[in-house]
Amino acid sequence: LQLVESGGGLVQPGGSLRLSCVASEFTLDHYHIGWFRQAPGKEREGVACIRSKERSPYIADSLKDRFTFSRDNAKNTVYLQMSSLKAEDTAVYYCAATLTYYYCAAYEFDYWGQGTQVTVSS
């Protein structure tokens, strides 16, 4: 199973980015999918997760006003739209997949992409 993230980069505070995660060798909507991030010196944290048969994702409370999670099954791709970005959003962002999970936590997910760097700075 392969997951490939893209869309990261350098953005000014208040800006927006859309991250993409494309799956290969498996059908994305058969799996639960999560977005995670890891800042230097910090643990990997759950940003948003969605179960395979559900439409409404879980998004971390502190982020739900600025981040949205969507999926395009026809493209086998999920997206993380981030707006009003802040310096504290700077991190490597990962997408991940699993067949079962209870919490939107990194230890629950089995398959990982390589990550994409998001840097929010003026």
Side-chain angles (χ1 to χ4, degrees), residues 5-77:
E5 304 95 336
S6 62
L10 174 64
V11 62
Q12 292 187 342
S16 299
L17 281 176
R18 188 179 77 160
L19 306 183
S20 301
C21 174
V22 180
S24 62
E25 302 179 19
F26 71 103
T27 302
L28 206 56
D29 67 351
H30 291 178
Y31 285 75
H32 312 310
I33 305 298
W35 281 101
F36 299 84
R37 67 183 184 183
Q38 188 166 21
K42 295 188 176 181
E43 293 187 355
R44 194 168 297 187
E45 65 172 336
V47 173
C49 293
I50 190 167
R51 298 184 189 280
S52 61
K53 303 303 181 186
E54 295 182 357
R55 292 190 174 185
S56 298
Y58 159 82
I59 301 176
D61 287 344
S62 62
L63 302 174
K64 61 178 54 178
D65 290 340
R66 300 187 292 117
F67 288 16
T68 58
F69 187 163
S70 61
R71 65 196 308 164
D72 184 336
N73 291 335
K75 295 183 178 180
N76 216 26
T77 301

